[in-house]
Amino acid sequence: MAKTSGSNSNSKPPKSGGLKENDSNYKGKVGKMESLASISNPAVYKTVKESISRFHSVLGVRQKDIKIATLDAGVGGVHLTANGVSKQVVLNKQVFNGKGTTTQSIAKWAEAGYKSGHLTKTNKPVAHIVTHELAHATWNSNLSSPNAKAASSSVNTLYKKWKKDKSKSGYGKYATSNVNEFFAEVSTKAVHGKADKYTKAVKDIIQKYKL
Amino acid sequence: MNKIVLNAKQMAVVQKYVDGSYSPFFSSTEDQEAMNQVLDMANELEEELDAYDESGDDLVKWFWKQYQKQEQQ
């Protein structure tokens, strides 16, 4: 298990993080669930709570069950799925409540991704990580609820159109990797980045299918 | 179609991705850059072959299959 990620510049990065492609089927260990109120750094707690509030207000969806727990091998966060339905979002305690964790130490992970062109740039790097996880829980291709399945066709069509579009801007390359990462990164851009036709389309899909 | 050439680093990050252990947030800069290079190659190939339908919902896995097919030939 990786030591606290993002604790300080000398700490080792977690082995993995963010939402894995097959994350909704996460079978790793989930430690004791704790309330977000257990986050000891007030600034980190405030930033996480604000990230969740903004996600709710901009996208009009409510992921209510958000906890913190120790996850396998430094995963940044996961969403847990039961019977094809998003059940819970769990942020990794090591990332968000490790020894010496600060907003700056968390932010540096996303900022490195901005610098490399890997991640979709926002001005809220900590919120980016939280929002990305919430977006995966809102929709991913593994969900089997009727609304999620109905939305899949629209999301896949949008993903294809977006990949063909050479004029799009502001996106990190990782958003290209698969439809789930595309949805999470476009949603994150919708909440914390510059709006465009794709962020609008994702918001419309979320609204249309009541995700 | 040009031959797909992947170096050891690029193959390693794709393998991590396929295994589900690749992280967009917590990978090293070197890994992120290698994945960016893979994604550029995958995008180019997808466009060249007009394989937007064939690649489906996962560009990296599609590209990796193309590479494996090529290596088997």
Side-chain angles (χ1 to χ4, degrees), chain A residues 2 6 42 60 78 86 114 129 140 148-149 151 155 157 160 166 170 173 187:
Chain A
V78 296
S86 275
Y114 299 159
I129 300 172
N140 69 77
K149 285 178 92 71
V155 179
T157 300
K160 199 191 297 182
K166 303 294 178 196
K173 291 183 192 292
S187 297

Side-chain angles (χ1 to χ4, degrees), chain A residues 138-205:
Chain A
T138 298
W139 180 85
N140 69 77
S141 58
N142 297 304
L143 298 180
S144 61
S145 72
N147 283 6
K149 285 178 92 71
S152 293
S153 174
S154 297
V155 179
N156 275 294
T157 300
L158 188 66
Y159 174 52
K160 199 191 297 182
K161 182 182 171 188
W162 176 87
K163 281 193 291 181
K164 289 179 179 177
D165 183 357
K166 303 294 178 196
S167 67
K168 62 183 180 285
S169 65
Y171 290 96
K173 291 183 192 292
Y174 191 67
T176 314
S177 61
N178 65 67
V179 72
N180 293 331
E181 299 304 329
F182 161 74
F183 183 84
E185 286 291 273
V186 177
S187 297
T188 301
K189 194 171 191 275
V191 178
H192 298 293
K194 192 176 174 186
D196 61 26
K197 60 185 173 186
Y198 299 106
T199 62
K200 183 181 181 308
V202 159
K203 286 166 81 170
D204 288 346
I205 289 169

Side-chain angles (χ1 to χ4, degrees), chain B residues 28-49:
Chain B
S28 67
T29 300
E30 292 75 23
D31 278 4
Q32 289 185 356
E33 285 170 352
M35 183 57 91
N36 284 348
Q37 291 156 6
V38 169
L39 289 164
D40 283 342
M41 284 188 268
N43 275 309
E44 280 174 29
L45 186 64
E46 185 185 40
E47 185 180 3
E48 182 190 330
L49 300 178

Side-chain angles (χ1 to χ4, degrees), chain A residues 1-207:
Chain A
M1 189 72 73
K3 288 284 183 186
T4 307
S5 63
S7 58
N8 60 51
S9 59
N10 295 322
S11 65
K12 286 184 180 179
K15 198 173 158 192
S16 64
L19 192 95
K20 296 175 185 176
E21 177 269 333
N22 57 349
D23 180 71
S24 65
N25 297 318
Y26 177 72
K27 292 181 176 64
K29 289 178 185 169
V30 178
K32 184 187 167 194
M33 296 276 190
E34 296 174 25
S35 155
L36 293 177
S38 67
I39 296 174
S40 56
N41 182 312
V44 172
Y45 174 73
K46 184 168 180 272
T47 304
V48 169
K49 291 293 281 185
E50 285 175 351
S51 306
I52 296 165
S53 294
R54 184 153 174 79
F55 183 84
H56 290 168
S57 64
V58 174
L59 296 181
V61 293
R62 298 194 69 80
Q63 297 294 337
K64 292 177 183 172
D65 198 353
I66 303 160
K67 302 286 188 204
I68 190 162
T70 300
L71 303 173
D72 268 4
V75 173
V78 296
H79 73 274
L80 304 180
T81 301
N83 300 320
V85 176
S86 275
K87 190 182 171 194
Q88 201 162 43
V89 173
V90 184
L91 302 176
N92 195 345
K93 188 175 177 178
Q94 292 178 308
V95 174
F96 290 91
N97 201 24
K99 189 179 176 185
T101 294
T102 63
T103 52
Q104 291 83 0
S105 66
I106 301 170
K108 75 182 176 72
W109 299 113
E111 286 166 348
Y114 299 159
K115 196 175 173 185
S116 70
H118 200 51
L119 294 172
T120 300
K121 202 168 182 178
T122 78
N123 57 4
K124 301 277 185 187
V126 177
H128 188 151
I129 300 172
V130 177
T131 305
H132 185 101
E133 305 302 341
L134 293 172
H136 276 305
T138 298
W139 180 85
N140 69 77
S141 58
N142 297 304
L143 298 180
S144 61
S145 72
N147 283 6
K149 285 178 92 71
S152 293
S153 174
S154 297
V155 179
N156 275 294
T157 300
L158 188 66
Y159 174 52
K160 199 191 297 182
K161 182 182 171 188
W162 176 87
K163 281 193 291 181
K164 289 179 179 177
D165 183 357
K166 303 294 178 196
S167 67
K168 62 183 180 285
S169 65
Y171 290 96
K173 291 183 192 292
Y174 191 67
T176 314
S177 61
N178 65 67
V179 72
N180 293 331
E181 299 304 329
F182 161 74
F183 183 84
E185 286 291 273
V186 177
S187 297
T188 301
K189 194 171 191 275
V191 178
H192 298 293
K194 192 176 174 186
D196 61 26
K197 60 185 173 186
Y198 299 106
T199 62
K200 183 181 181 308
V202 159
K203 286 166 81 170
D204 288 346
I205 289 169
I206 289 170
Q207 194 172 25

